[in-house]
mmCIF file of all heavy atoms in Angstrom:
data_model
loop_
_atom_site.group_PDB
_atom_site.id
_atom_site.type_symbol
_atom_site.label_atom_id
_atom_site.label_comp_id
_atom_site.label_asym_id
_atom_site.label_seq_id
_atom_site.Cartn_x
_atom_site.Cartn_y
_atom_site.Cartn_z
ATOM 1 N N ASP A 1 -103.853 -97.485 -29.826
ATOM 2 C CA ASP A 1 -103.857 -97.851 -31.276
ATOM 3 C C ASP A 1 -102.483 -97.964 -31.766
ATOM 4 O O ASP A 1 -101.634 -97.124 -31.734
ATOM 5 C CB ASP A 1 -104.653 -96.830 -32.042
ATOM 6 C CG ASP A 1 -106.131 -96.863 -31.861
ATOM 7 O OD1 ASP A 1 -106.598 -97.850 -31.274
ATOM 8 O OD2 ASP A 1 -106.828 -95.848 -32.186
ATOM 9 N N GLY A 2 -102.285 -99.121 -32.331
ATOM 10 C CA GLY A 2 -100.950 -99.455 -32.997
ATOM 11 C C GLY A 2 -100.002 -99.866 -31.986
ATOM 12 O O GLY A 2 -98.769 -100.290 -32.359
ATOM 13 N N VAL A 3 -100.197 -99.913 -30.734
ATOM 14 C CA VAL A 3 -99.300 -100.358 -29.620
ATOM 15 C C VAL A 3 -99.291 -101.888 -29.465
ATOM 16 O O VAL A 3 -100.386 -102.557 -29.456
ATOM 17 C CB VAL A 3 -99.613 -99.764 -28.235
ATOM 18 C CG1 VAL A 3 -98.762 -100.292 -27.174
ATOM 19 C CG2 VAL A 3 -99.423 -98.258 -28.395
ATOM 20 N N THR A 4 -98.093 -102.479 -29.566
ATOM 21 C CA THR A 4 -98.038 -103.951 -29.402
ATOM 22 C C THR A 4 -97.448 -104.351 -28.093
ATOM 23 O O THR A 4 -97.517 -105.543 -27.812
ATOM 24 C CB THR A 4 -97.215 -104.571 -30.561
ATOM 25 O OG1 THR A 4 -95.870 -103.992 -30.562
ATOM 26 C CG2 THR A 4 -97.900 -104.425 -31.940
ATOM 27 N N GLU A 5 -96.826 -103.439 -27.402
ATOM 28 C CA GLU A 5 -96.164 -103.699 -26.138
ATOM 29 C C GLU A 5 -96.502 -102.531 -25.099
ATOM 30 O O GLU A 5 -96.153 -101.389 -25.388
ATOM 31 C CB GLU A 5 -94.679 -103.826 -26.269
ATOM 32 C CG GLU A 5 -93.979 -104.295 -24.827
ATOM 33 C CD GLU A 5 -92.465 -104.432 -25.003
ATOM 34 O OE1 GLU A 5 -91.969 -104.421 -26.039
ATOM 35 O OE2 GLU A 5 -91.864 -104.603 -23.957
ATOM 36 N N LEU A 6 -97.263 -102.860 -24.096
ATOM 37 C CA LEU A 6 -97.654 -101.839 -23.053
ATOM 38 C C LEU A 6 -96.985 -102.109 -21.777
ATOM 39 O O LEU A 6 -97.057 -103.375 -21.381
ATOM 40 C CB LEU A 6 -99.122 -101.824 -22.982
ATOM 41 C CG LEU A 6 -99.710 -100.972 -21.789
ATOM 42 C CD1 LEU A 6 -99.414 -99.451 -22.042
ATOM 43 C CD2 LEU A 6 -101.242 -101.055 -21.694
ATOM 44 N N VAL A 7 -96.323 -101.276 -21.156
ATOM 45 C CA VAL A 7 -95.679 -101.358 -19.832
ATOM 46 C C VAL A 7 -96.391 -100.407 -18.952
ATOM 47 O O VAL A 7 -96.464 -99.117 -19.219
ATOM 48 C CB VAL A 7 -94.126 -101.098 -19.906
ATOM 49 C CG1 VAL A 7 -93.584 -101.159 -18.428
ATOM 50 C CG2 VAL A 7 -93.484 -102.001 -20.885
ATOM 51 N N LEU A 8 -97.021 -101.026 -17.816
ATOM 52 C CA LEU A 8 -97.545 -100.121 -16.758
ATOM 53 C C LEU A 8 -96.502 -100.038 -15.704
ATOM 54 O O LEU A 8 -96.254 -101.137 -14.994
ATOM 55 C CB LEU A 8 -98.867 -100.557 -16.334
ATOM 56 C CG LEU A 8 -100.068 -100.624 -17.208
ATOM 57 C CD1 LEU A 8 -101.349 -101.126 -16.540
ATOM 58 C CD2 LEU A 8 -100.396 -99.108 -17.690
ATOM 59 N N ASP A 9 -95.792 -98.913 -15.431
ATOM 60 C CA ASP A 9 -94.808 -98.791 -14.442
ATOM 61 C C ASP A 9 -95.469 -98.306 -13.157
ATOM 62 O O ASP A 9 -95.991 -97.141 -13.147
ATOM 63 C CB ASP A 9 -93.719 -97.889 -14.936
ATOM 64 C CG ASP A 9 -92.603 -97.750 -13.977
ATOM 65 O OD1 ASP A 9 -92.631 -98.160 -12.768
ATOM 66 O OD2 ASP A 9 -91.421 -97.266 -14.455
ATOM 67 N N MET A 10 -95.521 -99.110 -12.131
ATOM 68 C CA MET A 10 -96.183 -98.736 -10.987
ATOM 69 C C MET A 10 -95.238 -98.418 -9.829
ATOM 70 O O MET A 10 -95.590 -98.501 -8.630
ATOM 71 C CB MET A 10 -97.226 -99.836 -10.480
ATOM 72 C CG MET A 10 -98.228 -100.156 -11.490
ATOM 73 S SD MET A 10 -99.436 -101.341 -10.835
ATOM 74 C CE MET A 10 -100.733 -101.238 -12.161
ATOM 75 N N ALA A 11 -94.003 -98.064 -10.035
ATOM 76 C CA ALA A 11 -93.013 -97.730 -9.126
ATOM 77 C C ALA A 11 -93.479 -96.704 -8.185
ATOM 78 O O ALA A 11 -93.133 -96.672 -6.960
ATOM 79 C CB ALA A 11 -91.679 -97.236 -9.765
ATOM 80 N N GLU A 12 -94.229 -95.711 -8.616
ATOM 81 C CA GLU A 12 -94.757 -94.546 -7.705
ATOM 82 C C GLU A 12 -96.222 -94.664 -7.325
ATOM 83 O O GLU A 12 -96.766 -93.715 -6.933
ATOM 84 C CB GLU A 12 -94.473 -93.224 -8.504
ATOM 85 C CG GLU A 12 -92.908 -92.946 -8.808
ATOM 86 C CD GLU A 12 -92.171 -92.917 -7.477
ATOM 87 O OE1 GLU A 12 -92.501 -92.313 -6.460
ATOM 88 O OE2 GLU A 12 -90.883 -93.325 -7.492
ATOM 89 N N LEU A 13 -96.870 -95.789 -7.736
ATOM 90 C CA LEU A 13 -98.250 -95.890 -7.410
ATOM 91 C C LEU A 13 -98.367 -96.318 -5.969
ATOM 92 O O LEU A 13 -97.700 -97.332 -5.537
ATOM 93 C CB LEU A 13 -98.906 -96.956 -8.382
ATOM 94 C CG LEU A 13 -100.408 -96.970 -8.304
ATOM 95 C CD1 LEU A 13 -100.891 -95.762 -8.844
ATOM 96 C CD2 LEU A 13 -100.979 -98.157 -9.086
ATOM 97 N N LEU A 14 -99.201 -95.569 -5.223
ATOM 98 C CA LEU A 14 -99.333 -95.775 -3.791
ATOM 99 C C LEU A 14 -100.549 -96.544 -3.331
ATOM 100 O O LEU A 14 -100.549 -97.254 -2.245
ATOM 101 C CB LEU A 14 -99.340 -94.410 -3.067
ATOM 102 C CG LEU A 14 -98.189 -93.411 -3.354
ATOM 103 C CD1 LEU A 14 -98.536 -92.112 -2.596
ATOM 104 C CD2 LEU A 14 -96.872 -94.063 -2.778
ATOM 105 N N TYR A 15 -101.594 -96.593 -4.152
ATOM 106 C CA TYR A 15 -102.902 -97.147 -3.878
ATOM 107 C C TYR A 15 -103.607 -97.701 -5.074
ATOM 108 O O TYR A 15 -103.523 -96.893 -6.121
ATOM 109 C CB TYR A 15 -103.743 -96.123 -3.059
ATOM 110 C CG TYR A 15 -105.121 -96.664 -2.700
ATOM 111 C CD1 TYR A 15 -105.288 -97.505 -1.635
ATOM 112 C CD2 TYR A 15 -106.190 -96.365 -3.479
ATOM 113 C CE1 TYR A 15 -106.549 -97.966 -1.405
ATOM 114 C CE2 TYR A 15 -107.473 -96.779 -3.119
ATOM 115 C CZ TYR A 15 -107.657 -97.539 -2.079
ATOM 116 O OH TYR A 15 -108.838 -98.000 -1.764
ATOM 117 N N LEU A 16 -104.186 -98.754 -5.056
ATOM 118 C CA LEU A 16 -104.975 -99.397 -6.172
ATOM 119 C C LEU A 16 -106.465 -99.787 -5.595
ATOM 120 O O LEU A 16 -106.355 -100.670 -4.871
ATOM 121 C CB LEU A 16 -104.222 -100.434 -6.812
ATOM 122 C CG LEU A 16 -104.832 -101.132 -8.006
ATOM 123 C CD1 LEU A 16 -104.946 -100.169 -9.178
ATOM 124 C CD2 LEU A 16 -103.959 -102.308 -8.511
ATOM 125 N N SER A 17 -107.382 -99.167 -6.176
ATOM 126 C CA SER A 17 -108.741 -99.653 -5.619
ATOM 127 C C SER A 17 -109.411 -100.601 -6.708
ATOM 128 O O SER A 17 -108.819 -100.876 -7.813
ATOM 129 C CB SER A 17 -109.672 -98.419 -5.574
ATOM 130 O OG SER A 17 -110.067 -98.001 -6.818
ATOM 131 N N SER A 18 -110.551 -101.005 -6.486
ATOM 132 C CA SER A 18 -111.201 -101.963 -7.440
ATOM 133 C C SER A 18 -111.558 -101.224 -8.773
ATOM 134 O O SER A 18 -111.439 -101.880 -9.808
ATOM 135 C CB SER A 18 -112.493 -102.566 -6.817
ATOM 136 O OG SER A 18 -113.435 -101.408 -6.460
ATOM 137 N N ALA A 19 -111.784 -99.943 -8.766
ATOM 138 C CA ALA A 19 -111.972 -99.106 -10.003
ATOM 139 C C ALA A 19 -110.738 -99.217 -10.693
ATOM 140 O O ALA A 19 -110.676 -99.300 -11.948
ATOM 141 C CB ALA A 19 -112.404 -97.750 -9.596
ATOM 142 N N GLY A 20 -109.556 -99.088 -10.094
ATOM 143 C CA GLY A 20 -108.238 -99.124 -10.795
ATOM 144 C C GLY A 20 -108.010 -100.501 -11.379
ATOM 145 O O GLY A 20 -107.435 -100.731 -12.569
ATOM 146 N N LEU A 21 -108.329 -101.520 -10.574
ATOM 147 C CA LEU A 21 -108.154 -102.866 -11.078
ATOM 148 C C LEU A 21 -109.039 -103.194 -12.407
ATOM 149 O O LEU A 21 -108.526 -103.764 -13.261
ATOM 150 C CB LEU A 21 -108.651 -103.940 -9.970
ATOM 151 C CG LEU A 21 -107.754 -104.250 -8.862
ATOM 152 C CD1 LEU A 21 -108.396 -104.892 -7.708
ATOM 153 C CD2 LEU A 21 -106.440 -104.764 -9.288
ATOM 154 N N ARG A 22 -110.177 -102.594 -12.485
ATOM 155 C CA ARG A 22 -111.008 -102.738 -13.691
ATOM 156 C C ARG A 22 -110.371 -102.163 -14.848
ATOM 157 O O ARG A 22 -110.419 -102.797 -15.834
ATOM 158 C CB ARG A 22 -112.371 -102.032 -13.410
ATOM 159 C CG ARG A 22 -113.379 -102.261 -14.512
ATOM 160 C CD ARG A 22 -114.634 -101.393 -14.273
ATOM 161 N NE ARG A 22 -114.469 -100.078 -14.145
ATOM 162 C CZ ARG A 22 -114.094 -99.126 -15.211
ATOM 163 N NH1 ARG A 22 -114.042 -99.529 -16.438
ATOM 164 N NH2 ARG A 22 -113.970 -97.930 -14.908
ATOM 165 N N VAL A 23 -109.816 -101.014 -14.674
ATOM 166 C CA VAL A 23 -109.020 -100.339 -15.700
ATOM 167 C C VAL A 23 -107.861 -101.138 -16.229
ATOM 168 O O VAL A 23 -107.575 -101.361 -17.419
ATOM 169 C CB VAL A 23 -108.618 -98.922 -15.451
ATOM 170 C CG1 VAL A 23 -107.757 -98.218 -16.532
ATOM 171 C CG2 VAL A 23 -109.818 -98.149 -15.223
ATOM 172 N N VAL A 24 -107.064 -101.667 -15.275
ATOM 173 C CA VAL A 24 -105.923 -102.587 -15.558
ATOM 174 C C VAL A 24 -106.334 -103.777 -16.225
ATOM 175 O O VAL A 24 -105.733 -104.182 -17.198
ATOM 176 C CB VAL A 24 -105.136 -102.893 -14.300
ATOM 177 C CG1 VAL A 24 -104.153 -103.863 -14.538
ATOM 178 C CG2 VAL A 24 -104.554 -101.599 -13.665
ATOM 179 N N LEU A 25 -107.466 -104.470 -15.843
ATOM 180 C CA LEU A 25 -107.951 -105.698 -16.451
ATOM 181 C C LEU A 25 -108.361 -105.330 -17.872
ATOM 182 O O LEU A 25 -108.251 -106.077 -18.813
ATOM 183 C CB LEU A 25 -109.112 -106.199 -15.804
ATOM 184 C CG LEU A 25 -109.757 -107.436 -16.226
ATOM 185 C CD1 LEU A 25 -108.678 -108.596 -16.334
ATOM 186 C CD2 LEU A 25 -110.980 -107.899 -15.435
ATOM 187 N N ALA A 26 -109.064 -104.219 -18.111
ATOM 188 C CA ALA A 26 -109.530 -103.821 -19.460
ATOM 189 C C ALA A 26 -108.354 -103.650 -20.372
ATOM 190 O O ALA A 26 -108.336 -104.021 -21.471
ATOM 191 C CB ALA A 26 -110.380 -102.553 -19.387
ATOM 192 N N ALA A 27 -107.291 -102.946 -19.868
ATOM 193 C CA ALA A 27 -106.024 -102.810 -20.634
ATOM 194 C C ALA A 27 -105.407 -104.106 -20.989
ATOM 195 O O ALA A 27 -105.010 -104.426 -22.120
ATOM 196 C CB ALA A 27 -105.026 -101.937 -19.847
ATOM 197 N N GLN A 28 -105.407 -105.051 -20.106
ATOM 198 C CA GLN A 28 -104.988 -106.395 -20.264
ATOM 199 C C GLN A 28 -105.623 -107.198 -21.433
ATOM 200 O O GLN A 28 -105.144 -107.698 -22.307
ATOM 201 C CB GLN A 28 -104.893 -107.241 -18.966
ATOM 202 C CG GLN A 28 -104.379 -108.600 -19.110
ATOM 203 C CD GLN A 28 -102.823 -108.678 -19.603
ATOM 204 O OE1 GLN A 28 -102.055 -108.183 -18.772
ATOM 205 N NE2 GLN A 28 -102.608 -109.204 -20.771
ATOM 206 N N LYS A 29 -107.031 -107.103 -21.322
ATOM 207 C CA LYS A 29 -107.833 -107.720 -22.279
ATOM 208 C C LYS A 29 -107.585 -107.173 -23.742
ATOM 209 O O LYS A 29 -107.554 -107.857 -24.687
ATOM 210 C CB LYS A 29 -109.279 -107.552 -21.900
ATOM 211 C CG LYS A 29 -109.702 -108.373 -20.832
ATOM 212 C CD LYS A 29 -111.187 -108.271 -20.511
ATOM 213 C CE LYS A 29 -111.738 -109.227 -19.413
ATOM 214 N NZ LYS A 29 -113.089 -109.077 -19.130
ATOM 215 N N ARG A 30 -107.420 -105.761 -23.785
ATOM 216 C CA ARG A 30 -107.161 -105.207 -25.115
ATOM 217 C C ARG A 30 -105.875 -105.612 -25.553
ATOM 218 O O ARG A 30 -105.613 -105.900 -26.763
ATOM 219 C CB ARG A 30 -107.275 -103.682 -24.977
ATOM 220 C CG ARG A 30 -106.969 -102.900 -26.327
ATOM 221 C CD ARG A 30 -107.467 -101.657 -26.356
ATOM 222 N NE ARG A 30 -107.101 -101.020 -27.648
ATOM 223 C CZ ARG A 30 -107.203 -99.729 -27.909
ATOM 224 N NH1 ARG A 30 -107.725 -98.982 -27.045
ATOM 225 N NH2 ARG A 30 -106.826 -99.306 -29.054
ATOM 226 N N MET A 31 -104.789 -105.613 -24.637
ATOM 227 C CA MET A 31 -103.378 -105.960 -25.198
ATOM 228 C C MET A 31 -103.429 -107.394 -25.547
ATOM 229 O O MET A 31 -102.525 -107.860 -26.350
ATOM 230 C CB MET A 31 -102.364 -105.561 -24.145
ATOM 231 C CG MET A 31 -102.248 -104.075 -23.954
ATOM 232 S SD MET A 31 -101.958 -103.198 -25.599
ATOM 233 C CE MET A 31 -100.490 -103.854 -26.112
#
């Protein structure tokens, strides 16, 4: 709420599944 710029820093992310992709996509749609 109230955020106009979102940065997802994945420097330490080791694995991304389809469930994670869904959350990233939902965040993109909201932003």
Side-chain angles (χ1 to χ4, degrees):
D1 286 343
V3 172
T4 58
E5 185 179 352
L6 173 63
V7 177
L8 292 181
D9 184 344
M10 297 188 173
E12 301 295 325
L13 192 65
L14 305 173
Y15 176 80
L16 179 65
S17 75
S18 60
L21 284 170
R22 184 186 57 77
V23 175
V24 172
L25 181 60
Q28 179 64 63
K29 286 181 177 180
R30 180 162 177 191
M31 290 310 298

